[in-house]
Amino acid sequence: MKVTDKIVAKINRIDTGDVFGYDTLGLKSDEIIAGSKALSRLVGRGVIKRARKGYYYKPKVSLFGEQKPREDALLSLYLFEKNKQVAYITGTRLYNRLGLTTQVPSSIRVASLDKQVKGIVGNVVIRPAKSYVRVTSDTIKYLELLDVIMYVFKLKWTFPKRVFS
């Protein structure tokens, strides 16, 4: 079986709107180059769309046209590496999720220790933030709590003094 046929068969089994990469396709090391060329051809024909470098999705077609995958599926590309969480969402997006603000940010801050996470997901820009400890699934709740505490103290000092008197 040719690599292209193998890739097309696996893509046909993937649901529309799901994001997938090379690891999902199960390509061997000697099939990577042929696989990337086959995926590039499939993008050119419109069978799949590129989400970001190395990641693709099957577009969902409705009465209103093609729909991109959900924002959280695209965000998970930036938050996880090899099924391990290496970054977390902080800033206004975190405060909105926790109900501390009603602001809807046009950019999302993603904190990571090892790398700067930058990108664009739909209409939202992803900006880097610094984490001072290693991010794991166990430490995220504590890191988010510390970010919220820091936000509350920062908010207190930005208000006029007569508000807190």
Side-chain angles (χ1 to χ4, degrees), residues 6-157:
K6 183 178 174 181
I7 289 174
V8 169
K10 289 199 178 194
I11 288 175
N12 287 335
R13 285 185 259 148
I14 295 174
D15 292 334
T16 57
D18 286 350
V19 180
F20 61 92
Y22 291 105
D23 55 341
T24 309
L25 299 175
L27 298 176
K28 298 176 188 165
S29 61
D30 59 336
E31 298 174 334
I32 295 291
I33 295 172
S36 64
K37 195 68 173 168
L39 288 170
S40 180
R41 286 188 196 113
L42 290 172
V43 168
R45 287 192 304 191
V47 175
I48 59 176
K49 299 284 183 179
R50 187 173 318 231
R52 80 171 224 201
K53 184 179 178 181
Y55 291 95
Y56 303 88
Y57 67 93
K58 283 175 51 177
K60 192 175 195 177
V61 180
S62 69
L63 294 173
F64 302 108
E66 287 184 2
Q67 296 178 351
K68 290 188 174 185
R70 296 179 326 273
E71 188 177 277
D72 59 335
L74 292 173
L75 267 175
S76 69
L77 296 176
Y78 296 94
L79 301 177
F80 292 90
E81 281 183 359
K82 299 178 184 172
N83 294 330
K84 291 191 176 189
Q85 192 153 6
V86 294
Y88 69 98
I89 297 173
T90 187
T92 310
R93 179 72 175 251
L94 171 67
Y95 313 140
N96 182 295
R97 188 186 60 166
L98 296 175
L100 298 173
T101 183
T102 57
Q103 297 175 7
V104 179
S106 62
S107 66
I108 298 174
R109 305 241 335 154
V110 176
S112 176
L113 177 65
D114 300 330
K115 62 180 184 171
Q116 285 193 342
V117 180
K118 297 178 185 176
I120 297 176
V121 173
N123 297 330
V124 179
V125 177
I126 298 176
R127 300 197 187 280
K130 180 72 174 157
S131 174
Y132 295 96
V133 296
R134 186 161 306 283
V135 178
T136 64
S137 56
D138 297 332
T139 61
I140 288 177
K141 57 187 172 190
Y142 302 115
L143 294 171
E144 289 177 344
L145 179 64
L146 289 172
D147 286 348
V148 168
I149 292 170
M150 185 176 67
Y151 168 73
V152 168
F153 281 114
K154 195 181 292 185
L155 182 69
K156 178 183 176 187
W157 302 119

